[in-house]
Coordinates of all heavy atoms in Angstrom, one line a residue:
T1 N 0.8 -1.2 0.0 CA 0.0 0.0 0.0 C 0.9 1.3 0.0 O 0.6 2.2 -0.7 CB -0.9 0.0 1.2 OG1 -1.8 -1.2 1.1 CG2 -1.8 1.3 1.2
L2 N 1.9 1.3 0.8 CA 2.8 2.4 0.8 C 3.5 2.7 -0.5 O 3.6 3.8 -1.0 CB 3.9 2.3 1.9 CG 3.4 2.4 3.4 CD1 4.4 1.9 4.4 CD2 3.0 3.9 3.6
R3 N 3.9 1.6 -1.2 CA 4.5 1.7 -2.5 C 3.5 2.3 -3.5 O 3.8 3.2 -4.3 CB 5.1 0.4 -3.0 CG 6.4 0.0 -2.3 CD 7.1 -1.2 -3.0 NE 6.3 -2.4 -2.9 CZ 6.3 -3.2 -1.9 NH1 7.0 -3.0 -0.8 NH2 5.5 -4.3 -1.9
Q4 N 2.2 1.8 -3.4 CA 1.2 2.4 -4.3 C 0.9 3.8 -4.0 O 0.8 4.7 -4.9 CB -0.1 1.6 -4.2 CG -1.2 2.0 -5.1 CD -0.8 1.9 -6.6 OE1 -0.2 0.9 -7.0 NE2 -1.2 2.8 -7.4
M5 N 0.9 4.2 -2.7 CA 0.7 5.6 -2.3 C 1.9 6.5 -2.9 O 1.6 7.6 -3.3 CB 0.6 5.7 -0.8 CG -0.7 5.2 -0.2 SD -0.6 5.2 1.6 CE -0.5 7.0 1.9
E6 N 3.1 5.9 -2.9 CA 4.2 6.7 -3.4 C 4.1 6.9 -4.9 O 4.3 8.0 -5.4 CB 5.5 5.9 -3.0 CG 6.7 6.7 -3.4 CD 8.0 6.0 -2.9 OE1 8.0 4.8 -2.7 OE2 9.0 6.7 -2.8
K7 N 3.6 5.9 -5.6 CA 3.4 6.0 -7.0 C 2.4 7.1 -7.3 O 2.4 7.8 -8.3 CB 2.9 4.7 -7.7 CG 4.0 3.7 -7.8 CD 3.5 2.4 -8.4 CE 4.5 1.3 -8.4 NZ 3.9 0.0 -8.9
E8 N 1.4 7.2 -6.5 CA 0.3 8.2 -6.6 C 0.6 9.6 -6.1 O -0.2 10.5 -6.2 CB -1.0 7.7 -6.0 CG -1.5 6.4 -6.6 CD -2.7 5.8 -5.9 OE1 -3.2 6.4 -4.9 OE2 -3.1 4.7 -6.3
G9 N 1.8 9.7 -5.5 CA 2.3 11.0 -5.0 C 1.7 11.4 -3.7 O 1.8 12.5 -3.3
L10 N 1.2 10.4 -2.9 CA 0.6 10.7 -1.6 C 1.6 10.6 -0.5 O 1.4 11.1 0.6 CB -0.6 9.7 -1.4 CG -1.7 9.8 -2.4 CD1 -2.7 8.7 -2.1 CD2 -2.3 11.1 -2.4
C11 N 2.7 9.9 -0.7 CA 3.8 9.8 0.3 C 5.1 9.8 -0.4 O 5.2 9.6 -1.6 CB 3.6 8.6 1.2 SG 4.0 7.0 0.5
K12 N 6.2 10.0 0.3 CA 7.5 9.9 -0.2 C 8.4 9.1 0.8 O 8.0 8.9 2.0 CB 8.1 11.3 -0.4 CG 8.2 12.1 0.9 CD 8.7 13.5 0.5 CE 8.7 14.3 1.8 NZ 9.1 15.7 1.6
T13 N 9.5 8.6 0.3 CA 10.4 7.9 1.2 C 11.8 8.5 1.2 O 12.2 9.1 0.3 CB 10.5 6.4 0.7 OG1 11.1 6.4 -0.6 CG2 9.2 5.7 0.7
E14 N 12.4 8.2 2.4 CA 13.8 8.6 2.6 C 14.5 7.4 3.3 O 13.8 6.8 4.1 CB 13.9 9.9 3.4 CG 13.4 11.1 2.6 CD 13.5 12.4 3.5 OE1 14.2 12.3 4.5 OE2 12.9 13.4 3.1
W15 N 15.8 7.3 3.1 CA 16.5 6.3 3.9 C 17.1 6.9 5.1 O 17.7 8.0 5.0 CB 17.6 5.6 3.0 CG 17.0 4.7 2.0 CD1 16.7 5.0 0.7 CD2 16.6 3.4 2.2 NE1 16.2 3.9 0.1 CE2 16.1 2.9 1.0 CE3 16.6 2.5 3.3 CZ2 15.6 1.6 0.8 CZ3 16.1 1.2 3.2 CH2 15.6 0.8 1.9
E16 N 16.8 6.4 6.3 CA 17.4 6.9 7.5 C 18.4 5.9 8.0 O 18.1 4.8 8.3 CB 16.2 7.0 8.6 CG 16.7 7.5 9.9 CD 15.5 7.6 10.9 OE1 14.7 8.6 10.8 OE2 15.4 6.7 11.7
P17 N 19.7 6.4 8.2 CA 20.7 5.5 8.6 C 20.5 5.2 10.1 O 20.0 6.0 10.9 CB 22.0 6.4 8.5 CG 21.6 7.8 8.2 CD 20.1 7.8 7.9
L18 N 20.9 3.9 10.4 CA 20.8 3.5 11.8 C 22.2 3.1 12.3 O 23.1 2.9 11.5 CB 19.9 2.2 11.9 CG 18.4 2.4 11.5 CD1 17.7 1.1 11.5 CD2 17.7 3.4 12.5
E19 N 22.3 3.0 13.6 CA 23.6 2.5 14.1 C 23.9 1.1 13.6 O 23.0 0.3 13.4 CB 23.5 2.5 15.6 CG 23.4 3.9 16.3 CD 23.4 3.8 17.8 OE1 24.0 2.9 18.4 OE2 22.7 4.6 18.4
G20 N 25.2 0.9 13.3 CA 25.6 -0.4 12.8 C 25.6 -0.4 11.3 O 25.8 -1.5 10.7
G21 N 25.4 0.7 10.6 CA 25.6 0.8 9.2 C 24.4 0.4 8.3 O 24.4 0.6 7.1
T22 N 23.3 0.0 9.0 CA 22.1 -0.3 8.2 C 21.3 0.9 8.1 O 21.5 1.9 8.7 CB 21.3 -1.5 8.9 OG1 20.9 -1.0 10.2 CG2 22.1 -2.7 9.0
A23 N 20.3 0.8 7.3 CA 19.3 2.0 7.1 C 17.9 1.4 7.0 O 17.7 0.3 6.7 CB 19.7 2.8 5.8
R24 N 17.0 2.3 7.3 CA 15.6 1.9 7.2 C 14.9 2.9 6.4 O 15.2 4.1 6.4 CB 14.9 1.7 8.6 CG 14.8 3.0 9.4 CD 14.0 2.7 10.6 NE 14.0 3.9 11.5 CZ 13.5 3.9 12.6 NH1 12.9 2.9 13.2 NH2 13.5 5.1 13.3
R25 N 13.9 2.5 5.7 CA 13.1 3.4 4.8 C 12.0 4.0 5.7 O 11.3 3.4 6.4 CB 12.5 2.5 3.7 CG 11.7 3.3 2.7 CD 11.2 2.5 1.6 NE 12.0 2.8 0.4 CZ 11.9 2.2 -0.7 NH1 11.1 1.2 -0.9 NH2 12.6 2.5 -1.8
M26 N 12.0 5.3 5.6 CA 11.0 6.1 6.3 C 10.0 6.7 5.3 O 10.4 7.3 4.3 CB 11.7 7.2 7.1 CG 12.6 6.7 8.2 SD 11.8 5.7 9.5 CE 10.8 6.9 10.3
Y27 N 8.7 6.6 5.6 CA 7.7 7.2 4.8 C 7.1 8.4 5.4 O 6.9 8.5 6.6 CB 6.6 6.1 4.6 CG 7.0 4.9 3.8 CD1 7.6 3.8 4.4 CD2 6.7 4.9 2.4 CE1 8.0 2.7 3.7 CE2 7.1 3.8 1.7 CZ 7.7 2.7 2.3 OH 8.1 1.6 1.6
S28 N 6.8 9.4 4.6 CA 6.1 10.6 5.1 C 5.1 11.0 4.0 O 5.3 10.8 2.8 CB 7.1 11.7 5.4 OG 7.8 12.1 4.3
L29 N 4.0 11.7 4.5 CA 3.0 12.2 3.6 C 3.5 13.4 2.8 O 4.2 14.3 3.4 CB 1.7 12.6 4.4 CG 0.9 11.4 5.0 CD1 -0.2 12.0 5.8 CD2 0.4 10.5 3.9
T30 N 3.1 13.5 1.6 CA 3.3 14.7 0.8 C 2.2 15.7 1.1 O 1.2 15.3 1.8 CB 3.3 14.4 -0.7 OG1 2.0 13.8 -1.1 CG2 4.4 13.4 -1.1
D31 N 2.2 16.9 0.6 CA 1.1 17.8 0.7 C -0.2 17.2 0.2 O -1.3 17.3 0.8 CB 1.4 19.2 0.1 CG 2.5 19.9 0.8 OD1 2.8 19.6 2.0 OD2 3.1 20.9 0.2
E32 N -0.1 16.6 -1.0 CA -1.2 15.9 -1.6 C -1.8 14.8 -0.7 O -3.0 14.6 -0.6 CB -0.9 15.4 -3.0 CG -2.0 14.8 -3.7 CD -1.6 14.3 -5.1 OE1 -0.6 14.7 -5.6 OE2 -2.5 13.6 -5.7
G33 N -0.8 14.1 -0.1 CA -1.2 13.0 0.9 C -2.0 13.6 2.1 O -2.9 13.0 2.6
E34 N -1.5 14.7 2.6 CA -2.2 15.4 3.7 C -3.6 15.7 3.3 O -4.5 15.5 4.1 CB -1.4 16.6 4.2 CG -0.1 16.3 4.9 CD -0.3 15.8 6.3 OE1 -1.4 15.8 6.8 OE2 0.8 15.4 6.9
V35 N -3.8 16.3 2.2 CA -5.2 16.7 1.7 C -6.0 15.4 1.6 O -7.2 15.4 2.0 CB -5.1 17.4 0.4 CG1 -6.5 17.6 -0.2 CG2 -4.4 18.8 0.6
F36 N -5.5 14.4 1.0 CA -6.2 13.1 0.8 C -6.6 12.5 2.2 O -7.7 12.1 2.4 CB -5.4 12.1 0.0 CG -6.1 10.8 -0.3 CD1 -6.9 10.7 -1.4 CD2 -6.0 9.7 0.6 CE1 -7.6 9.5 -1.7 CE2 -6.7 8.6 0.3 CZ -7.5 8.4 -0.8
L37 N -5.6 12.5 3.1 CA -5.9 12.0 4.5 C -7.0 12.8 5.1 O -7.9 12.2 5.7 CB -4.6 12.0 5.3 CG -4.8 11.6 6.8 CD1 -5.3 10.1 6.8 CD2 -3.5 11.7 7.5
G38 N -7.0 14.1 5.0 CA -8.0 14.9 5.6 C -9.4 14.6 5.1 O -10.4 14.5 5.8
A39 N -9.5 14.4 3.7 CA -10.8 14.1 3.1 C -11.2 12.7 3.5 O -12.4 12.5 3.8 CB -10.6 14.1 1.6
W40 N -10.3 11.8 3.7 CA -10.6 10.4 4.1 C -11.1 10.4 5.5 O -12.1 9.7 5.8 CB -9.4 9.5 3.9 CG -9.7 8.0 4.2 CD1 -10.4 7.2 3.4 CD2 -9.2 7.3 5.3 NE1 -10.4 5.9 4.0 CE2 -9.7 6.0 5.2 CE3 -8.5 7.7 6.5 CZ2 -9.5 5.0 6.2 CZ3 -8.3 6.7 7.4 CH2 -8.8 5.4 7.3
V41 N -10.5 11.1 6.4 CA -10.9 11.2 7.8 C -12.3 11.8 7.9 O -13.2 11.3 8.6 CB -9.9 11.9 8.7 CG1 -10.5 12.3 10.0 CG2 -8.6 11.1 8.8
E42 N -12.5 12.8 7.1 CA -13.9 13.5 7.1 C -14.9 12.5 6.6 O -16.0 12.4 7.2 CB -13.8 14.7 6.2 CG -15.0 15.6 6.2 CD -14.9 16.8 5.4 OE1 -13.9 17.5 5.5 OE2 -15.8 17.1 4.6

């Protein structure tokens, strides 16, 4: 679902480095995603 949301421009991802040299993918809403979320909650 997150990958589909990213394709639709509703979220974006960034890699966040962790201790030990690994990284994890972090998702955040785009402005368009915030608008969509507000409409969905309503």
Side-chain angles (χ1 to χ4, degrees):
T1 300
L2 287 168
R3 284 190 297 275
Q4 182 62 39
M5 289 174 62
E6 188 174 19
K7 286 180 187 177
E8 294 173 7
L10 300 175
C11 71
K12 60 184 177 182
T13 61
E14 294 178 11
W15 288 98
E16 179 180 282
L18 297 175
E19 292 182 32
T22 60
R24 67 177 174 182
R25 185 177 249 176
M26 298 298 293
Y27 292 85
S28 60
L29 290 176
T30 61
D31 290 342
E32 186 179 342
E34 289 285 353
V35 170
F36 184 87
L37 178 60
W40 185 73
V41 168
E42 189 175 310

